[in-house]
Amino acid sequence: MSAHDPALVARLATGLHDLQLALPDLAQDQLLSYLEQLHKWNKAYNLSGIKHIGDMLVMHLLDSLLLAPFIDADPIADVGTGAGLPGIPLAICFPDRQFRLIDSNSKKTRFIFQTAALLGLRNVEVIHSRAEDYESHPQVAIVTSRAFASLRDFVDRCDHMLAPQGKFLAMKGLIPDAEIAELPARYQVVAIHPVSLPGTSHVRHVLDIRRTDTAAAH
């Protein structure tokens, strides 16, 4: 590993252990290098409301990796990726899967592009676009979102990029019953996975959403 703060190295190792993620040294080095870049750029460009690097490790890195058990196909589109979350941590975790990171904020996509290049992430494509304007060729197997407004907006704006047998993975805090009720009839929440954020008392919920005409096949 490169020279990183030993406290952050230890904290990441503990978090990965809690998540049951066995990552090679290179991946752990890349995760910490990404974190350091995010912390550095954030001082000038306000990419995140979280300012302390230790808090970023938990609330950004480990929080993003809660999605890892559900990444079982590719390509993956991460819409509204912001500073590359969860896309960059997941791309580091899955170097053999292809990720498309989409955001309409040029400041944030510039950060992602430069950081992905710095880390040598050849499986990351950075796309400066609104989700609804992005023409996806080919369509993707998974669309992820960690910070999209509502489930209805999420599926409506991203449906065109999802392959017929694909799935939406939305990260939420509490189970959003009202948002689920507002989903159009052609979508179904097929699973809600509660996941615990290491080092905190927080429980997130990963919602697996499919089109109703294909949900029965899964």
Side-chain angles (χ1 to χ4, degrees):
M1 268 197 184
S2 302
H4 301 291
D5 181 340
L8 293 176
V9 173
R11 201 166 180 185
L12 176 62
T14 299
L16 293 175
H17 178 268
D18 291 345
L19 291 173
Q20 298 183 330
L21 281 176
L23 297 185
D25 287 348
L26 173 61
Q28 294 184 50
D29 178 57
Q30 288 174 318
L31 286 170
L32 290 170
S33 294
Y34 165 72
L35 183 70
E36 290 159 359
Q37 288 299 306
L38 177 58
H39 185 246
K40 175 184 173 183
W41 278 60
N42 196 47
K43 293 176 181 177
Y45 296 102
N46 195 31
L47 301 173
S48 165
I50 299 173
K51 306 302 182 186
H52 188 272
I53 194 168
D55 294 335
M56 285 181 166
L57 188 150
V58 176
M59 305 305 292
H60 286 329
L61 279 193
L62 297 181
D63 192 69
S64 293
L65 292 175
L66 293 175
L67 280 172
F70 313 106
I71 302 299
D72 53 8
D74 68 319
I76 298 109
D78 179 26
V79 298
T81 189
L85 298 158
I88 291 288
L90 291 173
I92 291 170
C93 194
F94 298 102
D96 296 330
R97 297 199 182 279
Q98 297 300 312
F99 289 81
R100 302 174 192 172
L101 277 56
I102 305 166
D103 202 279
S104 60
N105 185 314
S106 59
K107 177 176 62 177
K108 293 178 179 178
T109 54
R110 193 159 54 246
F111 164 73
I112 303 167
F113 182 84
Q114 294 196 23
T115 302
L118 178 70
L119 299 179
L121 300 180
R122 298 181 180 179
N123 60 332
V124 170
E125 180 182 359
V126 183
I127 297 148
H128 176 221
S129 172
R130 296 191 307 170
E132 56 266 39
D133 297 334
Y134 172 57
E135 296 294 334
S136 179
H137 301 292
Q139 290 174 309
V140 301
I142 300 173
V143 180
T144 64
S145 173
R146 185 169 167 263
F148 223 79
S150 72
L151 294 179
R152 184 177 188 120
D153 282 348
F154 180 35
V155 298
D156 280 348
R157 295 183 192 180
C158 304
D159 183 77
H160 64 286
M161 67 178 76
L162 187 69
Q165 301 294 324
K167 64 182 177 182
F168 295 99
L169 290 177
M171 279 192 92
K172 294 287 183 177
L174 300 174
I175 298 175
D177 292 316
E179 291 183 35
I180 293 171
E182 290 175 358
L183 279 171
R186 66 186 299 252
Y187 303 101
Q188 177 182 356
V189 178
V190 299
I192 300 176
H193 305 280
V195 285
S196 297
L197 182 59
T200 76
S201 59
H202 299 305
V203 176
R204 306 281 197 238
H205 292 87
V206 177
L207 280 68
D208 183 335
I209 304 169
R210 318 276 177 116
R211 298 186 184 100
T212 51
D213 53 355
T214 60
H218 296 271

